Amino acid sequence: AEVCTAPAGSASLDELISAPARERLLKDPRMVASMACLTAFGIVTAYFLRELSNPVKELSSCVVILFSALAQVMLSGWQDFDGRNAQAMILSVLAIGLYNIN
């Protein structure tokens, strides 16, 4: 969080990857959950890109959006759930439903 709010060019790469910076990062449970989610998303996406057809790839992204939103609600509660999250979930459900009509 500190890196994102710091003025541009104020932190060197050595400071960003230093041991104290990693310790602060690992103490924040939301950042650890975010890193785990993005790692899993990358692995699953790489598999889908290699193995599946294009419509299935798009639908798998919809499923990832749904699981990410559900994980967010489970980790931080409904207070962080906003209109954008609801819109993403609704569009994902509609896309999955539309694909399964045929």
Side-chain angles (χ1 to χ4, degrees):
E2 295 174 7
V3 174
C4 294
T5 59
S10 66
S12 69
L13 182 60
D14 292 334
E15 292 172 333
L16 295 177
I17 60 173
S18 66
R22 288 192 308 266
E23 287 176 24
R24 283 194 313 268
L25 187 65
L26 292 175
K27 286 181 183 177
D28 185 0
R30 288 186 182 198
M31 287 303 291
V32 172
S34 176
M35 289 185 293
C37 184
L38 290 173
T39 301
F41 179 69
I43 292 169
V44 169
T45 301
Y47 171 76
F48 284 148
L49 286 174
R50 196 181 97 208
E51 297 291 329
L52 302 175
S53 66
N54 196 37
V56 176
K57 290 177 201 174
E58 295 299 326
L59 288 176
S60 64
S61 295
C62 294
V63 172
V64 169
I65 291 171
L66 292 174
F67 283 143
S68 297
L70 293 174
Q72 177 186 355
V73 169
M74 289 182 350
L75 290 173
S76 63
W78 288 99
Q79 68 269 13
D80 291 336
F81 194 82
D82 60 2
R84 290 176 295 167
N85 297 46
Q87 180 184 14
M89 287 187 68
I90 290 169
L91 289 174
S92 297
V93 168
L94 289 174
I96 293 170
L98 183 64
Y99 183 76
N100 288 323
I101 285 176
N102 294 333

